[in-house]
Amino acid sequence: MNMVIIEAENNTSSLKTQLLVDCVFTDEVSSLSLSEITSDFDPLIREIIATKEFTAKDGTISIIHNNAGSSIKRALLLGMGDKKNFDPERTRNLIGKVVNKSKELGINEFVLIPFKNMDNEHLSATVEGIKLSDYLFNNYKSDEDKNDLNQVRILIRNDLKNNQKIIHDSSIVSDAVIFSRNISNLPPNDCSPKDLANFSATLSKDQKIKVRVIEKEEMEPYGLGGILAVGKGSSSSPKLIIIEYSGSTKNEKPIIIVGKAVTFDTGGISIKPSEKMDEMKYDKCGGCNVLGIMKAVSDLNLNTNVIGMIPAVENMPSGNSYRPGDIIKMYNRKTVEVLNTDAEGRIILADALAFAVKTFAPKAIIDMATLTGAAIIALGTNVAALVGNNKDLVKKIIDFSNQTGEKIWELPLYDEYKEQLKSSTADMKNIGGRSAGAITAAAFLSNFVEDTPWIHLDIAGTAWNQEGTKEKTYNSKGATGFGIRTIVKYLINNNLE
Ligand code: BES
Ligand code: MN
Ligand code: ZN
């Protein structure tokens, strides 16, 4: 069931809840908001503060029971730590602790009193923290965890502007992340390119969305030689999914978001070792994030034109597979010498990028992909790599990522890196050697965007929880939906300009 977050009623004298949560900074323990709502807990509060059982230290929780028989049975004090350097990311993580605790307690609703003088950004982070930490992928467990929250009310006591809108919009964005996670987490036997096309089709219930799928048979006439080549080895045929959202007039150039969706990456003929190969079901996360972004754009009813594109393939070894040594002709007529069939993501993305640029003349193009193990070598599993050709766009995305807590670091795109891709027989080869692998993959892509302002996000390390991922209360096992919140923020803001 979908959990809802609403603003709590202002008349607190009649407030009824199974759990009242008060968020407290260390320097506020002597004047709790909770006491302004009900005095029932005061004796207990005095006691746990006097004994230092609760000091509001960062991340600590105290639960107190009310025996006075009022309509609020239990309260939870959440320690928020020092007010200095407090940021929305801490809000997300701390609120996640409360959600986990409430599940342990077996309750299905609570009322949250945020910390005093909370601003809009923290309200938004609070909503995200609640929704995202409540998420757990357990669709395949027969003894499914039934203990779900179904409502959280937020008691906003200072005069924040637009509370309702912020709660509403942040709920939409969080639900879009959950939508993406749910598809990303599907096993490869339940998520083929065709399944992705079917999920995309559900978005067209919005009249402003048109979904079009370019099928395998049409790829040759279209000249989509890259997607066709990579998809050849699988009995599930490749697709290019195009999700067009028209929020503005026809003559406004669209922003295009492209996501790699390799529903399973065996490596193809250049097959991967079997250890952890199962994790390559997450090689579709970029594409699933595009689905999430398009859902958010639609539910937020943005008045801008946005197009989502998902090249979807399964990379399999078989008698029909493309091989090392093959030379393929891409959508933009450039030729690529394939030297490793495991460097498949850049090939399908390149076709999609070239198709996007030629067909829609976008004002900006962003791609997201679990593209290289080298991005993990360079930055680890908590930071995504960004490469782009436009300073302004790069700056915007990095600025928004600082607000969303989705850590991104820019890598350079000098001409030297492009030289690593020189081929003796074709226009370029699909691998650039051992050094700077994340950058040479991006350099490959840069050959297909012409002068369009473009950024590429390599989310190989951040798209799902893997070895080395820092635990966050709002990211449960499996896919994270990393990047969706940052890009949606960019799209919302672009809308305002
Ligand atoms: N999907 C992988 C990249 C990947 C690896 C993502 C591990 C997340 C975790 C991609 O298709 C791939 O196999 N890349 C190769 C490229 C190489 C052959 C140049 C890689 O990174 O090893
Ligand atoms: Mn691969
Ligand atoms: Zn891959």
Side-chain angles (χ1 to χ4, degrees), residues 41 104 180 201 240 313 346 375 432:
F41 294 96
E104 251 174 69
S180 164
L240 177 58
V313 302
R346 62 196 74 184

Side-chain angles (χ1 to χ4, degrees), residues 260 262 264-267 272 280 283 315 342-346 370-372:
K260 166 182 175 181
V262 175
F264 193 67
D265 182 12
T266 63
K272 288 181 181 293
M280 283 299 112
D283 213 18
N315 188 18
D342 198 12
E344 84 297 340
R346 62 196 74 184
T370 49
L371 202 62
T372 65

Side-chain angles (χ1 to χ4, degrees), residues 108-125:
N108 54 26
E109 63 75 38
F110 63 81
V111 171
L112 181 83
I113 315 168
F115 64 86
K116 288 177 186 156
N117 303 317
M118 176 185 58
D119 63 10
N120 289 345
E121 249 198 83
H122 281 91
L123 176 57
S124 171

Side-chain angles (χ1 to χ4, degrees), residues 312-330:
V313 302
E314 188 181 35
N315 188 18
M316 294 289 269
S318 83
N320 295 321
S321 298
Y322 80 135
R323 334 156 179 73
D326 280 1
I327 295 179
I328 55 187
K329 190 169 239 148
M330 305 291 287

Side-chain angles (χ1 to χ4, degrees), residues 376-423:
I376 302 176
I377 305 291
L379 298 172
T381 47
N382 297 293
V383 180
L386 178 153
V387 176
N389 65 3
N390 181 290
K391 279 211 168 74
D392 184 48
L393 187 56
V394 168
K395 186 178 181 309
K396 277 188 184 150
I397 295 296
I398 290 183
D399 285 350
F400 289 127
S401 81
N402 287 329
Q403 297 171 20
T404 59
E406 295 176 325
K407 294 197 170 78
I408 289 171
W409 195 258
E410 187 186 7
L411 301 178
L413 182 60
Y414 295 117
D415 286 342
E416 284 83 343
Y417 297 111
K418 297 181 187 164
E419 280 162 32
Q420 286 178 240
L421 296 165
K422 282 203 169 130
S423 158

